[in-house]
Amino acid sequence: MSSVAQAYPARSWLWPVPVLGAAVLVVLALSEGIGGLAAGWLAAWLFCLGLCVGASGWLMIHAVIGGRWIGAGRHVLEPLAALTPFAALAGLPLLLVLPQLYPWWPGEDSARGALYLNATAFLIRAAIILVGWSLIGVFAARMGRGLAIAGLIFHGLAVSFAGLDWVLSRNPDFGSTTFGALLAVLQLALALHLAALALRRDDPRAVADWGGLMLACVLGVFYLAAMQFLVSWSGNLPGKAAWYLARLAGAGQAVLVLAVLAGTVVPFLALLPSRWRSDAARLRMIAVCVLAGGLLYLVWICAPGQHGLSVVVALATLALLIGAAMLVRIAIKGRMR
C-alpha cells in the first residue's frame, strides 16, 4: 500500500500533461478538421515509435558486439523498448486520415499502384512491420547473439519499407534510396539521447563511450540527410526539387533551421571536447537539444505547407502519448508492489 501511495504524488503532477495535450488536439480538430491534424500526429507518432524501436536497436547491437557502454543506459533502453507495442497502437488514429495523408489512396491507376501503392498492400506491410517491431521490443532485452542478428536484419528491411510507405509516399513522385538508412540512424539517435537524460554515473568510462556514440549519431543523421539533399537536388529533376521546395515554403525554412541548429550544430560543437562527452550533466542538456531537433525534422519532412500547425499538433500529441504512457507505467509498478 505504501508503494502504491507513493505513486500518487507523481500522478498528481503528471495527469494534467495528457489532459492538456488532448484538450489542445480537440480544439485544433474543431477548428482545422481532423485532416488538418494528420501530418502533425504522423510526425509525433514516428518520433515516439522511433524512440522505442531505436532502444530495441541498441539492445540488439549490444547483444551482437558487446561493450561496457550499455551499463550507463540499459535501465532506460529496456523499458523503452518494451513500450514498442504501446507506441505502435498510438498510430491507430491515423487510419481515420490516411486518404488525407496519401494522395494515391486507395490506389494508383498504374502497375505500381496495382502492386504496391494501394490500401490493402499498405496496411498489410504496416501490420507486419509494427507486429515485428513490437515482438522485437518485448524480447530485445533477452536476445542472444543469433536472435539479435536476425532482429537487426528484419529491422533493416522494415525501416526501409516504413520510410518509403509512411513518409516518402506522401509525394509518390519522390524517391530516395538512403531514406531508410536515415530513418534508422535517426531512431538510434533519438533513443540514445533520451537515455542520456538519466545515465548512471558509476562507470565514467561507460558515460564517456555513451557521449561518443551520441556524437557519432548526430554526425550520421546529418551526413545521410545532407547526402540525400545533394544527390536529389543535383539531379535537377522536377519531382525531387518540388519535394524540397514544398517543405521550404512558409514556416518550413524556420523549422528546418531550428532543426539543424538544435539537432546538429549545437550538439556537434558541444560534444567535440572529450571532457564534455564524459560529463553526464552536459550530456543531458545536449540530449534535450537533439530530441527537439529530431522532432522538428520529422515535422519538416512530414508536414509540407503545414509546419506551424503541425509543430503545435506534434507537441500536443507527445504530451498526450508520453504523459499517458508514464501514468500507465506508474500504475503498473504500483500494483506490482
Side-chain angles (χ1 to χ4, degrees):
M1 287 294 293
S2 60
S3 60
V4 176
Q6 289 174 359
Y8 279 95
R11 294 180 189 177
S12 66
W13 69 264
L14 269 179
W15 71 263
V17 176
V19 171
L20 178 61
V24 172
L25 291 174
V26 169
V27 171
L28 291 176
L30 292 175
S31 60
E32 301 290 337
I34 296 179
L37 277 59
W41 188 286
L42 175 63
W45 179 61
L46 290 175
F47 181 86
C48 292
L49 187 62
L51 290 171
C52 300
V53 174
S56 299
W58 284 117
L59 293 171
M60 291 188 291
I61 289 171
H62 180 263
V64 175
I65 66 173
R68 63 191 298 175
W69 56 270
I70 196 71
R74 182 188 285 275
H75 64 292
V76 178
L77 294 178
E78 289 185 355
L80 187 59
L83 284 173
T84 305
F86 178 82
L89 291 175
L92 288 178
L94 291 172
L95 293 175
L96 302 175
V97 291
L98 289 178
Q100 284 77 27
L101 279 172
Y102 303 106
W104 50 264
W105 196 271
E108 289 186 334
D109 294 329
S110 64
R112 181 177 67 168
L115 296 174
Y116 193 88
L117 285 183
N118 60 80
T120 302
F122 178 93
L123 293 174
I124 291 175
R125 289 193 300 272
I128 293 173
I129 292 169
L130 293 175
V131 170
W133 277 347
S134 297
L135 290 173
I136 288 174
V138 171
F139 296 105
R142 300 185 293 276
M143 284 185 179
R145 189 170 186 271
L147 195 56
I149 291 174
L152 288 170
I153 293 173
F154 172 84
H155 174 62
L157 295 172
V159 75
S160 298
F161 282 102
L164 177 61
D165 284 3
W166 303 344
V167 180
L168 294 188
S169 75
R170 293 214 64 204
N171 184 343
D173 296 327
F174 181 82
S176 172
T177 56
T178 62
F179 188 77
L182 170 59
L183 186 59
V185 176
L186 180 60
Q187 291 174 339
L188 292 173
L190 292 175
L192 193 76
H193 285 80
L194 182 69
L197 296 176
L199 289 179
R200 287 177 174 160
R201 307 185 187 186
D202 51 347
D203 186 351
R205 176 63 182 277
V207 173
D209 290 346
W210 204 277
L213 289 172
M214 289 169 63
L215 177 60
C217 283
V218 167
L219 292 176
V221 172
F222 177 76
Y223 173 79
L224 290 171
M227 287 301 101
Q228 176 183 281
F229 169 76
L230 289 175
V231 172
S232 299
W233 194 264
S234 62
N236 199 27
L237 298 175
K240 293 183 180 291
W243 191 87
Y244 283 98
L245 291 173
R247 284 155 179 80
L248 292 172
Q253 293 185 31
V255 171
L256 179 60
V257 169
L258 289 174
V260 173
L261 287 174
T264 301
V265 177
V266 172
F268 172 72
L269 295 176
L271 289 168
L272 273 180
S274 59
R275 66 181 185 278
W276 285 20
R277 294 199 298 272
S278 305
D279 188 333
R282 292 185 186 274
L283 293 183
R284 283 198 298 271
M285 293 186 289
I286 295 167
V288 172
C289 284
V290 173
L291 291 170
L295 177 62
L296 289 173
Y297 179 70
L298 287 171
V299 170
W300 185 76
I301 61 175
C302 290
Q306 298 178 299
H307 291 112
L309 171 64
S310 294
V311 168
V312 178
V313 173
L315 291 173
T317 303
L318 285 181
L320 173 61
L321 297 179
I322 295 177
M326 292 177 69
L327 286 172
V328 169
R329 183 169 176 78
I330 290 172
I332 292 175
K333 279 188 173 181
R335 290 185 178 181
M336 289 178 64
R337 292 175 183 176

